[in-house]
Structures are given as C-alpha cells and as structure tokens.
Amino acid sequence: MSSAFPGPIEVGLGMTNIDHHDLTAWLGKQQEEEDVITARMADAFRATFDPHLWRGDGVWLGLHWCLFAPAEPMAALGRDGHPKTGGWLPPIPLPRRMWAGGRVEFLGDLQVGDRVRRETTIAGLDKKQGRTGPLYFLALDHVLSTSRGIAIRERQDIVYRDFDSGGASASNGVEAAVAEPVDVLWTIESSEPLLFRYSALMFNAHRIHYDLPYATQVEGYPGLVVQGPLQATLILNRCARDRGQRPSVFAYRGVSPLIAGPDFTVEIDAAEGEGVTCVTRNSQRRICMKGQACW
C-alpha cells in the first residue's frame, strides 16, 4: 500500500507548475474498495438502458462501471464536480478530464447480492503533446473479485486537458473518422434524462453531463457530453447480443466527444472470426467511441 501523500489539490486554469517527475510518485499507489450489487441497482440500470441490453448468467453487462461510486463530501469536489485530485489520484495540472478508453477481461459473472471488492493500482502516467495542447493519460488497473474469485480485470484510461487547449469538440489528439453509412442497429435518444439517470447510477457529479452553461462556457463543448462509460455499455451489450454470448475481452476508446441532443447510433462496424467491432456515431455519422469484443 501507499505511504503518505499530499492532501487534495485544486487544479485551476493554467496551473502547470507541477513537474511531471513529481507526479510519478503516485505510480504503484493502491486503493481497495467494496460494494454490493443490490436488486435496486440492477433494476435502475435495466430501466436506464432497456431494451438495449444483453443478459447472460450474471447481471447486465456494464453494471460494474456503476459500482464503487466515490461518496466524497461536497467540500471535496472540484470546480468541475469531480472529486479533487491530489489525494488518491495524482494532482495532474490540467483541469478537464474524461474517460479515454480501456480494456475489460471477463473471468466470471457478477450476481445480484454479490459483495464485490475492487483493488486499483495507478499503473501509468504519460504526458503527451496533442494538436490542441498538452495531455496527460492516467492508467488505472482494476481487479474485481467476489467470494467466487476474480470476476473482472480492467485497464481504465483517463485523459486530462487544459481549459484553453482549443475546441473541446476535438478528439483528444485523434482524428475522428467519417465513414460511409452502414445498417443502423440501435438508435439512442441522447436526452437530458438519460444523462441524468446514468450520472445518478454512478453518483457522478461531473458538470459537463448536466450543467449546460458550464459545459459550453467553461469547458467549451457545444452541448452536454454523453458519458464515455454509457457509450461503452451500449457497445458492449450490442457486441454480446450479436454473438449471444458475453465476450471474454472488450476493449474500447473514445474517438470524439458525443454531444447530447440529436439521436446517436450503436452499430456493428465489422464482424470477423472471433471478434466484433462496434461504434457509436453521432448524427453527422462521426465515430465517437469504438469498441472491440473477442470470445
């Protein structure tokens, strides 16, 4: 386990005086958490995503992203509504943060009533120069276990950017692809109630998902932002439904922010051999998230 670390640090606009090498002291830091999958949680998850779900022998796929919600007091939240960095997470000197992607390995099923333990390790921290300014990529390794053993191993990637790093509609340094239309499988109404319900499931107070003035005037998005794990949940379930089986490995990455308002689609982009590639596309046919499942 970790030794003593500084207390929470509020990262503000243009705060770049923390040396990258100082941040590497957080590498290897670990955290253990426990949560219980309740019938109420599973029902609320189903009500949010139904009918766009696939269920095998366990709970709905993607529900594990709603566990271990950080119940921080109001005073511990930053300007963006997230818990302040600098305690458990390193004080990365860039204020805007989003899920960048990840990889999930399914080793067992989760069930309603399970007490789930998650062991998390800060596994990586990279600083890069994107097209619109500096970026930090934080990698977290999660191991989720029940009384039956390890159920999930996961790598979660988080990207940090500055407020003044250019248009927020850019794709985190990755050019978003516009492809020819294909058969639409699922059409999703990206409404405010959908974003609210999912944020409530995750106890996520990130203001880009519900505070329109903040999202547009402070972080520079053209509207509210659809949550990354919400999109990943839909892609994961679409892949599982395509094969009628839970995948053994699911990898996903954000390509471009998905802005709420117009309908978006969840589509199988390719299915070859043991793998399926699925994407979310906005109303302009731009890929927003891409996921790949293998069995």
Side-chain angles (χ1 to χ4, degrees):
M1 289 300 184
S2 63
S3 57
F5 280 80
I9 298 174
E10 176 66 49
V11 177
L13 177 63
M15 180 180 174
T16 57
N17 59 342
I18 297 177
D19 188 86
H20 176 71
H21 295 290
D22 295 335
L23 296 176
T24 60
W26 268 259
L27 291 175
K29 188 180 180 184
Q30 295 180 321
Q31 181 184 65
E32 293 186 5
E33 304 164 278
E34 285 194 354
D35 205 346
V36 176
I37 302 176
T38 66
R40 176 71 179 85
M41 176 188 297
D43 192 54
F45 186 89
R46 177 203 55 77
T48 301
F49 286 100
D50 189 57
H52 304 108
L53 289 170
W54 180 89
R55 185 173 185 176
D57 296 328
V59 296
W60 310 108
L61 289 179
L63 184 143
H64 78 279
W65 283 315
C66 299
L67 295 172
F68 316 107
E72 299 288 348
M74 294 298 295
L77 300 183
R79 181 187 185 189
D80 61 358
H82 263 316
K84 297 175 184 177
T85 59
W88 151 237
L89 294 176
I92 294 174
L94 296 174
R96 290 168 53 203
R97 41 187 157 171
M98 293 183 68
W99 283 45
R103 182 182 185 275
V104 185
E105 182 181 4
F106 294 98
L107 302 173
D109 291 315
L110 297 174
Q111 304 286 348
V112 170
D114 276 345
R115 180 172 293 276
V116 186
R117 184 179 70 175
R118 183 173 74 175
E119 300 177 3
T120 300
T121 303
I122 297 178
L125 180 62
D126 294 319
K127 182 180 181 181
K128 298 182 180 181
Q129 186 66 30
R131 293 181 306 166
T132 58
L135 305 170
Y136 274 91
F137 289 91
L138 177 68
L140 303 177
D141 283 347
H142 304 297
V143 179
L144 280 66
S145 304
T146 69
S147 60
R148 299 180 299 278
I150 296 176
I152 292 174
R153 295 185 186 273
E154 180 174 10
R155 165 64 64 94
Q156 177 189 358
D157 297 317
I158 304 171
V159 63
Y160 293 74
R161 300 173 59 189
D162 207 344
F163 281 133
D164 57 354
S165 61
S169 60
S171 55
N172 297 334
V174 180
E175 181 65 28
V178 177
E180 293 299 320
V182 297
D183 292 336
V184 173
L185 295 176
W186 287 346
T187 299
I188 310 296
E189 181 184 357
S190 58
S191 63
E192 287 88 347
L194 174 64
L195 272 61
F196 171 83
R197 278 190 161 194
Y198 192 71
S199 287
L201 281 168
M202 299 188 75
F203 200 59
N204 177 10
H206 197 180
R207 293 168 66 183
I208 63 173
H209 305 309
Y210 64 87
D211 186 339
L212 185 60
Y214 174 86
T216 57
Q217 299 171 21
V218 177
E219 298 222 11
Y221 292 100
L224 298 177
V225 180
V226 179
Q227 296 92 331
L230 185 156
Q231 297 177 67
T233 294
L234 289 166
I235 291 174
L236 172 59
N237 279 272
R238 179 61 258 176
C239 290
R241 184 177 288 189
D242 183 73
R243 292 297 176 94
Q245 184 180 5
R246 183 200 68 197
S248 58
V249 177
F250 174 68
Y252 63 97
R253 65 180 179 89
V255 178
S256 182
L258 176 57
I259 304 303
D263 292 350
F264 68 94
T265 57
V266 184
E267 308 171 4
I268 297 295
D269 194 58
E272 297 180 1
E274 296 301 315
V276 171
T277 299
C278 186
V279 299
T280 58
R281 296 181 190 269
N282 65 14
S283 59
Q284 285 76 47
R285 305 292 302 155
R286 184 178 293 271
I287 294 176
C288 296
M289 179 169 285
K290 189 171 190 176
Q292 295 177 311
C294 296
W295 285 261

